[in-house]
Amino acid sequence: ILGIIPLILLLTAGCISAQGYRQDNSPVYDQDYRQGNGQDYGTDLDINYEYDYLSPYGDWVDMDPHGYVWVPRHMGYRWRPYSDGHWVWTDYGWTWIDNSEWGWIPFHYGRWDMDDEIGWYWVPGSTWGPAWVTWRSNDMYMGWAPLPPGIELRAGMNFASLRIDIPGSFWIFIGGSHFLDPNIHSYVLPYERNVTIINYTTIYNNFGFRGDRFYNDGVGMDHVRRFTGRDAPRYTLRDARQPGRARITGNEVQVYRPSFKGDSGARPKASINRDRARQELAPIKVFEPPRQPLKGAPEKMVRQRQDRERKLLKATQSQ
């Protein structure tokens, strides 16, 4: 008994230390989404790197129960993760290449979720994947949605029967013939149509682990071939030396995918609380600028964006 008691105390102290606490003594939940699978890609970096790298592109919000989450800046209220970029077929399955400079982190690590008052936010993670999405499709449409926080994926699971509760507005649908196009954003259907499309599509959880490698095969190449009438080139992933957008060179895709190590004391240098975020980051108040610095009036940009959305909605409803 005398030997067991110190051991219990030691283990308890270790668990408390691993979880970590904020300055106000509230717990910081460790949501690295490793699922017990190690990674040996590229460089080892501390999780603080994610905080520092993403800070110029968005705001860190202290949000229970996730701890610190990241909200991208100036995305517009209709923006959704995995909507501005394109898909490529690699030795890891369907791999997302985002158009943003910062996309190599939040679309390949962690999870996305939505808050009605601050918009989309990203929960940090340390496990790299080609795309953390699930899929829907039928004979007309191809769709995918980000996996929300709390979805535990681990080797040996029966992913085909995995039930995932994903809100209808999370889904991104396009006409299947455009799936291999280099800029999917132009073909994303208005999310007002999602409920109708969901009722006529089937879920595909065609992802999992091969050893310590997470792969995402989506609906499969045969299905894509029927949609597009062609095969997608198969690329090999190679580790890039510098962060930034993925680059396609020949038959290779160069991606920066370091191994992030957990740190219970990690925290962003600047953050805001949830109440302040709801006042300042409400997506309805945010305009959607181009990737270059704004030169015109924000109001004009909003009108142009709304005109494009109305035309797209009219065209798709007519179809």
Side-chain angles (χ1 to χ4, degrees):
I1 294 175
L2 292 178
I4 293 175
I5 291 176
L7 178 60
I8 294 175
L9 293 175
L10 180 62
L11 290 174
T12 303
C15 291
I16 294 174
S17 175
Q19 178 174 300
Y21 286 82
R22 303 189 188 91
Q23 293 179 350
D24 60 0
N25 291 325
S26 60
V28 177
Y29 293 87
D30 181 16
Q31 298 202 13
D32 62 4
Y33 296 106
R34 291 178 192 165
Q35 294 87 38
N37 291 271
Q39 287 186 312
D40 55 1
Y41 310 133
T43 308
D44 288 344
L45 295 176
D46 188 273
I47 201 73
N48 272 309
Y49 185 92
E50 293 184 348
Y51 292 143
D52 295 340
Y53 187 92
L54 292 174
S55 289
Y57 305 103
D59 297 276
W60 288 99
V61 180
D62 192 354
M63 181 183 295
D64 288 332
H66 306 299
Y68 295 104
V69 304
W70 180 73
V71 181
R73 196 176 293 129
H74 303 320
M75 301 312 296
Y77 73 99
R78 283 184 175 269
W79 178 84
R80 283 162 284 172
Y82 299 99
S83 65
D84 189 9
H86 66 282
W87 294 103
V88 294
W89 181 248
T90 73
D91 45 348
Y92 287 73
W94 291 112
T95 302
W96 178 255
I97 297 183
D98 199 73
N99 289 335
S100 62
E101 188 70 21
W102 46 263
W104 66 272
I105 294 181
F107 299 117
H108 298 282
Y109 301 87
R111 300 286 189 273
W112 285 93
D113 206 351
M114 162 68 90
D115 180 274
D116 290 339
E117 295 184 315
I118 68 173
W120 285 97
Y121 62 87
W122 176 71
V123 181
S126 63
T127 298
W128 187 91
W132 297 99
V133 301
T134 188
W135 304 80
R136 275 187 171 276
S137 188
N138 63 5
D139 293 335
M140 292 183 61
Y141 302 107
M142 184 78 79
W144 56 92
L147 294 169
I151 302 298
E152 180 185 6
L153 303 179
R154 61 182 184 275
M157 291 181 64
N158 180 7
F159 293 100
S161 61
L162 182 65
R163 296 184 62 85
I164 305 174
D165 184 16
I166 296 180
S169 60
F170 280 34
W171 289 92
I172 297 164
F173 287 106
I174 62 173
S177 60
H178 297 295
F179 182 70
L180 296 179
D181 284 31
N183 190 2
I184 284 176
H185 180 74
S186 302
Y187 304 104
V188 173
L189 300 174
Y191 66 78
E192 289 86 353
R193 297 188 59 192
N194 282 9
V195 174
T196 300
I197 298 175
I198 287 172
N199 290 333
Y200 291 96
T201 53
T202 302
I203 194 81
Y204 289 82
N205 292 332
N206 196 8
F207 46 72
F209 288 92
R210 299 186 181 112
D212 66 348
R213 173 185 296 184
F214 179 81
Y215 67 90
N216 196 326
D217 287 346
V219 297
M221 183 56 68
D222 289 342
H223 196 74
V224 173
R225 189 182 300 113
R226 289 196 298 270
F227 268 139
T228 63
R230 58 192 173 101
D231 287 323
R234 184 181 177 89
Y235 296 97
T236 300
L237 287 187
R238 298 297 182 198
D239 291 321
R241 296 182 178 181
Q242 299 294 331
R245 297 187 186 96
R247 294 187 303 167
I248 298 177
T249 305
N251 62 348
E252 294 182 348
V253 179
Q254 298 182 9
V255 295
Y256 190 59
R257 46 176 182 167
S259 297
F260 287 106
K261 306 302 180 183
D263 181 357
S264 60
R267 63 187 66 246
K269 292 182 174 65
S271 63
I272 58 179
N273 61 38
R274 191 169 186 169
D275 291 338
R276 180 180 168 189
R278 286 174 170 172
Q279 294 176 358
E280 298 182 2
L281 306 181
I284 197 66
K285 301 177 183 178
V286 180
F287 61 89
E288 188 176 84
R291 294 183 184 84
Q292 301 298 323
L294 279 176
K295 296 181 181 179
E299 293 81 3
K300 183 178 180 180
M301 303 296 296
V302 172
R303 294 193 196 99
Q304 291 176 348
R305 175 61 177 166
Q306 290 174 342
D307 287 341
R308 288 196 297 268
E309 289 175 350
R310 279 195 290 267
K311 291 178 181 178
L312 176 61
L313 177 61
K314 183 178 179 180
T316 55
Q317 291 288 358
S318 176
Q319 180 188 5

